[in-house]
Amino acid sequence: MRVVISIGGSVLAPDLDARRVEGHASVVETLARDGCEIGAVVGGGGVARDYIGAARDLGANEVQLDQIGIDVTRINARLLIAALGSQVDPKVAHDYEDAGDAIRRGDISVMGGVMPGQTTDAVAAALAEYVDADLLVYATSVDGVFSADPKSDPDATKFEEMTAAELVDVIGDIEMNAGSSAPVDLLAAKLIERAKMRTIVLDGTDPDRITPAVLRGEHTGTDIIPEGGDEPTYWAP
Ligand SMILES: Nc1ncnc2c1ncn2[C@@H]1O[C@H](COP(=O)(O)OP(=O)(O)O)[C@@H](O)[C@H]1O
Ligand SMILES: O=c1ccn([C@@H]2O[C@H](COP(=O)(O)OP(=O)(O)O)[C@@H](O)[C@H]2O)c(=O)[nH]1
């Protein structure tokens, strides 16, 4: 089974904590040992937002801020690589071909951002499509996609299941400034829709929630069901 796991900066690196990074690396290694081929894409987290905030105060434009964000995601990718064992490609992949080559060789590949105007959510969706992944998992700071931002709307309700077209509708109004927050960004949602990619959005604060979701489809987040896609298949016996 080929899986792309997007580890949001909010769960991997809200601040710098080696133990937290180790926890995520351990989950990725366990899945790889179980026979999964893995591409991991990591976000920028609190450090990226701090840098973006400071540079915005200094007058940087949004593309320059995105470039700062990308640099930080790649530093976080290096952290995850440092925590992974010998099965990882030691280079941060800067494009989908390099990541795809590493995955086909049997290595775990780790990416950060690639270009301004998007977030690592879109990188993960494009990588999943490029390597023809069976599953795309977003480990983020909220347990799924809600009808509105659950942090600001107490009446927001969670979708246990939704189509990619519904996902596009729900997140379409969220701002796309450098450093903005969304469970999945709009470009990612459109890529998921066109690739008919089976996708799970879940709370990855505790990385151990990722393993049962990947192996058995067990989670409490949101399943994004491809219209016209394949029936889910699970790896675990
Ligand atoms: N419709 C929504 N459903 C779920 N979360 C939402 C929604 N709209 C906004 N959010 C916000 O998106 C945030 C997740 O984005 P973020 O913290 O940037 O995660 P990541 O680091 O994984 O990219 C949540 O904290 C939540 O407040
Ligand atoms: O391909 C990319 C990936 C990231 N970013 C920038 O880097 C920031 C941090 O990345 P991301 O939002 O994925 O991190 P997270 O929300 O997971 O902390 C984003 O807000 C963008 O400004 C970008 O411009 N292009």
Side-chain angles (χ1 to χ4, degrees):
M1 183 187 196
R2 192 168 287 167
V3 190
V4 171
I5 304 174
S6 165
I7 308 176
S10 61
V11 301
L12 183 76
D15 50 21
L16 270 180
D17 178 352
R19 297 286 84 78
R20 191 186 292 114
V21 177
E22 206 165 54
H24 285 276
S26 160
V27 164
V28 170
E29 278 177 328
T30 304
L31 288 171
R33 255 198 313 274
D34 280 348
C36 292
E37 296 174 338
I38 300 182
V41 181
V42 305
V47 175
R49 283 181 181 80
D50 287 349
Y51 270 90
I52 286 169
R56 187 174 272 132
D57 290 346
L58 293 167
N61 64 42
E62 288 297 313
V63 173
Q64 289 173 315
L65 297 177
D66 282 341
Q67 287 166 330
I68 289 172
I70 292 167
D71 287 344
V72 179
T73 63
R74 289 177 174 169
I75 291 174
N76 285 340
R78 285 196 189 280
L79 267 187
L80 185 65
I81 287 170
L84 287 165
S86 55
Q87 247 196 297
V88 68
D89 182 350
K91 287 195 312 290
V92 177
H94 284 197
D95 63 49
Y96 303 114
E97 282 167 299
D98 282 349
D101 285 350
I103 292 169
R104 272 181 274 273
R105 273 199 314 270
D107 283 346
I108 299 162
S109 178
V110 184
M111 295 188 78
V114 295
M115 65 170 185
Q118 59 177 42
T119 75
T120 51
D121 297 338
V123 177
L127 178 62
E129 182 170 16
Y130 180 66
V131 301
D132 202 13
D134 302 289
L135 177 65
L136 170 60
V137 178
Y138 287 98
T140 183
S141 59
V142 61
D143 199 21
V145 182
F146 286 67
S147 54
D149 187 345
K151 288 205 175 127
S152 54
D153 184 345
D155 296 327
T157 53
K158 181 163 69 186
F159 293 91
E160 279 179 22
E161 213 179 271
M162 68 197 308
T163 64
E166 286 168 334
L167 177 67
V168 170
D169 280 349
V170 169
I171 59 174
D173 293 334
I174 299 178
E175 274 194 12
M176 265 296 290
N177 290 336
S180 66
S181 278
V184 176
D185 77 26
L186 185 58
L187 177 57
K190 297 294 279 185
L191 292 173
I192 290 166
E193 185 179 27
R194 99 174 169 185
K196 302 189 195 327
M197 180 62 57
R198 192 163 72 84
T199 303
I200 296 170
V201 180
L202 53 73
D203 179 357
T205 324
D206 174 1
D208 288 333
R209 293 187 185 158
I210 297 170
T211 312
V214 170
L215 297 182
R216 295 182 293 280
E218 289 170 9
H219 63 90
T220 55
T222 299
D223 275 307
I224 297 154
I225 307 295
E227 284 163 293
D230 297 332
E231 280 297 304
T233 50
Y234 295 106
W235 186 251

